[in-house]
Amino acid sequence: RAVESTGSTNSDLIAQADELPDFAVLTAGEQVSGRGRSGRSWEAPAGTSMMASVLLRPVAVPPTQFSWLPLIAGLSLANAVSSFGGSTRAMVKWPNDVLIGDLKVAGVLSEALPDFSGVVIGTGLNVFQTREQLPVDTATSLALAGINVPSIDAMLAEYLKQLRKNYEEFIACGGELAGTDLLQSIKNACTTIGRPVRAIMPGDKELVGEAIDIDDLGRIVIAHDGKHTPVSVGDIVHLRHN
């Protein structure tokens, strides 16, 4: 379903989830109360961004495996952008921000349904923004990156095609990604691996080291002080190489 304007496509889908099938999609030309991760606001001028939410209700997969879905959405969005990008490859900053170079072009917000029967995956992709329309210097848009897409609808169609393929693989393996091609694809698309990082975790705890892997539970593994620590929740800051 497409609407011209709404507060938040995620909130709308969560409210309507009981009446909707698996892989129901809501897209909007404008969001006036969009949300990012950690409660941040997310807004963009009307007609400049791809804003869409997808309801995923994988009945054969236990809710303990739903934490893979944000990473799968990030992979799908990066692959969709790259399909229009020619030699320009979009990459994923763990767990699900999409970057072109070191600049953020998209974010993903995943929210569990109240009864934990599924997850709503919201995406906001900067498509046509000018430099002046972007909120921070660390953001970019497809237009600024020289990636030409015919329309926001064309971008959405490619993202949903990629997401459907990866989602079906996720269901086929029962959400157990260890040893799968899907996990390898997630790792290959993750620009965080191999970089020095700062992990900012709940309780104002910080961990500085090198991101070396994504483990079989979807956690980013950080090497520091002679140890390997998996991180499941937190903001990851990419640091410059020395």
Side-chain angles (χ1 to χ4, degrees):
R1 194 164 68 91
V3 296
E4 285 188 15
S5 179
T6 189
S8 160
T9 54
N10 264 29
S11 295
D12 292 350
L13 266 194
I14 290 169
Q16 301 160 12
D18 288 349
E19 309 154 23
L20 295 172
D22 184 32
F23 218 85
V25 180
L26 175 64
T27 183
E30 178 185 38
Q31 283 190 139
V32 296
S33 303
R35 302 188 304 282
R37 293 182 65 231
S38 304
R40 304 180 185 102
S41 63
W42 193 93
E43 296 179 15
T48 62
S49 299
M50 185 194 86
M51 291 172 276
S53 295
V54 185
L55 171 63
L56 300 179
R57 192 183 272 122
V59 292
V61 177
T64 52
Q65 303 305 109
F66 289 179
S67 58
W68 283 111
L69 293 172
L71 286 83
I72 288 169
L75 168 67
S76 303
L77 193 54
N79 285 348
V81 169
S82 299
S83 72
F84 290 99
S87 60
T88 301
R89 170 71 187 164
M91 300 289 285
V92 178
K93 176 188 166 195
W94 186 94
N96 50 29
D97 285 346
V98 177
L99 307 183
I100 295 175
D102 286 326
L103 300 178
K104 180 175 174 178
V105 73
V108 175
L109 177 66
S110 305
E111 297 182 273
L113 297 179
D115 63 358
F116 297 101
S117 65
V119 175
V120 169
I121 305 279
T123 56
L125 171 67
N126 300 330
V127 181
F128 296 125
Q129 281 97 329
T130 63
R131 170 57 55 198
E132 294 71 30
Q133 290 174 320
L134 293 169
V136 291
D137 291 340
T138 52
T140 190
S141 68
L142 299 187
L144 288 171
I147 297 176
N148 298 312
V149 297
S151 65
I152 289 173
D153 283 351
M155 188 73 243
L156 177 61
E158 182 62 26
Y159 164 60
L160 294 176
K161 183 179 81 172
Q162 297 282 348
L163 182 61
R164 170 71 80 178
K165 176 177 73 72
N166 292 325
Y167 181 54
E168 288 178 352
E169 284 189 43
F170 170 76
I171 292 172
C173 67
E176 299 286 347
L177 267 63
T180 64
D181 289 343
L182 182 54
L183 177 53
Q184 192 58 51
S185 294
I186 289 171
K187 292 182 183 184
N188 291 346
C190 184
T191 188
T192 304
I193 295 174
R195 299 185 65 142
V197 298
R198 177 185 294 113
I200 304 168
M201 296 171 288
D204 291 329
K205 295 179 181 176
E206 288 196 0
L207 189 63
V208 176
E210 182 182 353
I212 58 170
D213 199 8
I214 294 173
D215 71 9
D216 291 346
L217 299 176
R219 301 174 298 184
I220 193 79
V221 180
I222 299 176
H224 65 102
D225 305 317
K227 298 182 288 188
H228 293 172
T229 300
V231 173
S232 58
V233 178
D235 279 338
I236 299 294
V237 179
H238 287 176
L239 305 176
R240 293 187 180 276
H241 289 276
N242 292 331

